Amino acid sequence: MERTVIRSISYDSLTSSVCEIEADLLNFTDNVIQLWGSCNGMVCIYPSGTGSGIIFCLLNPATREYRVTRTPTKPLFLCLCGLDYDRQADDYKLIVGDDFDGYRFSSEVQVYSLTSNSWKTIPTIPYTFPYSRVSGVLLNGYLHWLALSENSSKVIVSFDLSDERFKEVQLPEFFWKYDEYLIESLGVSKGCLGLLVNHEVWLMLDYGVEESWTKSYIITHESIVKGLFFSPLIWSFENGKLLFLSSGTLVLYDPEDESAREPNVHNIAFKSGADYFESLVSLHSGTYVGGDGRIEELRES
């Protein structure tokens, strides 16, 4: 069986693996896993969909502490996921969406509380999430997704963990001139909410103000754009460079000169990725990666 390893890579060098944890040491029956978001040094892992509910794992790679939880019911179609910190309740929450109907534009959302180690279902929302990225984009304390409303209009929806409600963020007028079948995605660049449409990157310079949407640059580099599919954005650096995950390879793109390079990361093929920084946040689970799971420092090659 193929060995799956969770690794963290230093942003400074993009060549050093500073943490390695073998996925099978987390006691999952499915060794093929994906990273679906992170928050304050904690990552969300989606390892399995078997049984009566979907299994998720919250892991702090720095301390190797983890907690496994299962949704009360198994979604028919997992359409969104997100991990964030509720400052008002001092609690970490995991949001999971189920496009349970398939015929109406509505989704059922379940919220997991780390503090209470329990799930609850919130009222059905009038949106569906047909886009490829289910992991929410975190900005200003809100999680964001691209969605379709009841009248089939494309919208950006945000989720406020404090009141556990969804709200709409206005799209720019230019959005409507593009063919509905083009691939769009959300991201964060230079501290702004970003939208990719037809290889154009637009930024919302003043969050929540529709008129502040501004075209920043166009990306057409073949190492990032694969036919109709656009590689997911992992990180936006302060110097404007962007880190993408393209066909298992990290690609560092510079919009200034439209150049792209693939950092040498020990010839590792990546299945999925998420931005992450080390912290000592506890999951209060008392369970840690054991066996020969290890944290090792590797010098830059």
Side-chain angles (χ1 to χ4, degrees):
M1 179 181 294
E2 181 181 359
R3 187 174 71 105
T4 301
V5 178
I6 302 166
R7 294 180 171 91
S8 65
I9 309 298
S10 169
Y11 286 142
D12 295 332
S13 64
L14 291 179
T15 58
S16 300
S17 178
V18 297
C19 172
E20 293 189 357
I21 296 176
E22 294 187 23
D24 56 357
L25 296 177
L26 295 171
N27 299 318
F28 299 141
T29 56
D30 189 347
N31 197 40
V32 179
I33 65 174
Q34 294 184 357
L35 294 177
W36 275 7
S38 69
C39 180
N40 293 352
M42 188 187 309
V43 297
C44 176
I45 301 172
Y46 168 55
S48 176
T50 59
S52 58
I54 289 185
I55 296 174
F56 287 93
C57 173
L58 301 181
L59 166 71
N60 184 330
T63 64
R64 298 194 297 177
E65 184 181 16
Y66 69 95
R67 180 186 288 274
V68 176
T69 181
R70 184 191 295 269
T71 58
T73 59
K74 183 177 180 179
L76 296 179
F77 177 71
L78 188 63
C79 61
L80 66 86
C81 180
L83 176 65
D84 198 2
Y85 175 66
D86 183 350
R87 291 172 176 79
Q88 182 173 319
D90 188 22
D91 189 12
Y92 289 90
K93 294 180 178 179
L94 175 64
I95 301 93
V96 177
D98 176 16
D99 185 9
F100 64 98
D101 192 301
Y103 298 97
R104 294 181 292 115
F105 284 94
S106 58
S107 300
E108 183 178 79
V109 177
Q110 300 177 76
V111 179
Y112 170 77
S113 164
L114 180 63
T115 299
S116 64
N117 190 28
S118 63
W119 290 84
K120 72 175 181 180
T121 301
I122 65 175
T124 299
I125 57 175
Y127 306 101
T128 187
F129 302 83
Y131 300 93
S132 59
R133 177 168 183 169
V134 295
S135 181
V137 172
L138 181 59
L139 180 67
N140 294 338
Y142 299 91
L143 287 164
H144 302 78
W145 297 269
L146 279 169
L148 291 178
S149 64
E150 290 179 298
N151 61 358
S152 298
S153 298
K154 298 174 184 178
V155 296
I156 297 175
V157 295
S158 66
F159 184 73
D160 186 339
L161 270 74
S162 297
D163 60 16
E164 297 183 347
R165 292 184 179 182
F166 286 85
K167 302 174 184 177
E168 290 189 14
V169 178
Q170 294 300 313
L171 286 166
E173 291 184 7
F174 80 88
F175 187 87
W176 305 109
K177 73 180 181 181
Y178 291 114
D179 189 292
E180 64 179 347
Y181 296 106
L182 290 180
I183 301 298
E184 305 96 2
S185 64
L186 280 176
V188 175
S189 178
K190 301 179 181 179
C192 299
L193 188 64
L195 178 66
L196 173 70
V197 179
N198 200 30
H199 301 170
E200 295 180 353
V201 176
W202 288 69
L203 300 181
M204 192 179 222
L205 301 181
D206 189 0
Y207 182 79
V209 179
E210 178 183 355
E211 293 74 18
S212 71
W213 282 104
T214 304
K215 183 167 69 172
S216 182
Y217 42 82
I218 300 175
I219 300 178
T220 58
H221 202 283
E222 61 180 8
S223 64
I224 300 173
V225 181
K226 303 290 186 180
L228 291 177
F229 294 94
F230 199 90
S231 304
L233 175 65
I234 302 298
W235 185 254
S236 173
F237 294 89
E238 292 183 359
N239 60 10
K241 293 183 180 181
L242 305 172
L243 183 66
F244 294 91
L245 179 59
S246 177
S247 301
T249 302
L250 293 177
V251 178
L252 188 63
Y253 179 75
D254 188 346
E256 292 295 327
D257 58 11
E258 299 182 355
S259 64
R261 68 179 181 89
E262 298 179 3
N264 177 24
V265 192
H266 310 296
N267 297 317
I268 297 171
F270 295 94
K271 296 182 180 295
S272 60
D275 59 289
Y276 157 81
F277 63 89
E278 289 188 348
S279 79
L280 298 179
V281 170
S282 175
L283 285 80
H284 304 291
S285 64
T287 53
Y288 297 84
V289 177
D292 58 354
R294 62 198 181 280
I295 296 179
E296 61 181 33
E297 298 293 336
L298 298 178
R299 288 186 174 85
E300 187 175 353
S301 61

